[in-house]
Each structure stands twice: as structure tokens, then as C-alpha cells.
Amino acid sequence: APAVSSAPCPSASSTARALPEHALTVPELSSLGPDVVQGLAERFVQLYYGLLAVRPSALSQFYRENSQAVRTWFGGRCPMDAAAYSNQVHQGVAQIIKVIMASVGGCDPAADKLPIVASSVNGMQASVLAGRNALSVRITGVITFLALDSPSFFQFAQEVVLEACPLRASFLYVREDRIEYVDPMFHAPQPPPLPEASSPGQPLLPQWQGGPAVPETFPLGP
């Protein structure tokens, strides 16, 4: 099976002259076996939540200008800076990172303030999207935002679409990213079904704690 990586998908201007023509052809994800698909998703989750805990600004490497993200908060303890962006569609790297940083205090933490979030993933489902060279990954767990004056604990459900980068072979980026944060004391209404939802399956990812040991780059693939 072809190797696939989560390293940054470069811009067209920086890549068009640097890569040979054949490097612009991405592999067909539909050719990957279920174990490989699951492994890609697990490694994405490890890096994403590891970076969120120690250097959230570095998450910009996962997005492109056509990426879209939504963050929705249910309950009264939403970080104040993040409340203004709740339940809105944000597009492009700058908008998405602005929303992410608003939930963790606005800037990367100092070395003596790590981590700024504590995450525990307790379920994950991954599948190849029919008709698209992309993976759908649904992640559930709990997260505590430690950088706030009053650390807040939330349950969360995240749905991401990892799409093959058109400008660099064997690389994935986050095309769609939706997270719902729910205060455990708040009874959220049942959300509508997500488009192109992941196929049903048993959660395979064991509990994992975010922390500084996660590397800044994490190739996805065998």
C-alpha cells in the first residue's frame, strides 16, 4: 500500500516548480486496506491533539485555503474568546487557526505552562469516502482547557475529512473539520446527521493523553 503522510501540504506557488509532474498525482485511498486506514486516522489523532496541548499554532500545517471548520459549544462555560466564533463556518488557514487559538488562551504556551489542554480520546471510526479520494474520521472523547482562569471540562465529538493533497503526492490535509463541545452539565439537542458520516464501527483507539512527548511531525502510513 502507498504511504501517506500528514506533513504540511504546500501551496501551489511553492510547489509547482519544485516537484516533478508525476508528484502531483495523489494515491487512491480506496486502495488502502481497513487496517491502514485505521492506522492513518490514529496517527492523525495523536499528532493533532498532541500539538493542541503544547503548540496549537502548529496545527496550521494540517489546513489549506479551501479547508473549512466549525466549532460549536453547548453549555455556559465556553471560553469567552471562543464564544464569538461558535457555530460559524470558517474557511482558510488564518480563520481556522484564529478560532483554535481563541479556545486555548490566544497564544502558544510558555515552556513552564505545558500542557494547555488535556485530551482523552475514547472512540474513533475511520472510513474511505465513496467517490472522493478522502478519509472520514469521527473522534469522541473528553478535553479540559487548562489555560483558562477556570479550567473547563467538555465532552467532544469531532468529524474530519482528510483529503489527498493535490499539490504533493502521498500527503493528506484537513478539508473539513467540525467539532461539538458539550458541557457535561448541559443537555445538548440532538444534532442533525453529518454529511458523508463515517461508517459504523467499534472504537479502536485506546485512551490517549495529550502531552509534550508528541513530535511536531508525524508521517502517516506504514
Side-chain angles (χ1 to χ4, degrees), residues 82-171:
Y85 305 110
S86 181
N87 203 29
Q88 300 176 26
V89 177
H90 307 278
Q91 181 162 336
V93 176
Q95 287 189 20
I96 294 172
I97 291 303
K98 184 176 182 179
V99 173
I100 292 173
M101 298 305 292
S103 68
V104 295
C107 61
D108 287 336
D112 61 343
K113 300 294 185 181
L114 299 176
I116 54 172
V117 302
S119 308
S120 178
V121 172
N122 55 37
M124 189 191 69
Q125 301 167 358
S127 62
V128 177
L129 290 177
R132 294 176 62 178
N133 198 18
L135 304 179
S136 176
V137 184
R138 184 168 179 83
I139 307 147
T140 58
V142 294
I143 185 168
T144 302
F145 295 93
L146 302 172
L148 306 179
D149 292 337
S150 177
S152 298
F153 166 81
F154 291 87
Q155 297 169 334
F156 74 88
Q158 180 177 18
E159 182 92 12
V160 295
V161 173
L162 301 175
E163 195 164 87
C165 177
L167 299 175
R168 190 166 184 177
S170 302
F171 282 71

Side-chain angles (χ1 to χ4, degrees), residues 13-20:
S13 59
S14 65
T15 308
R17 295 189 300 270
L19 295 177

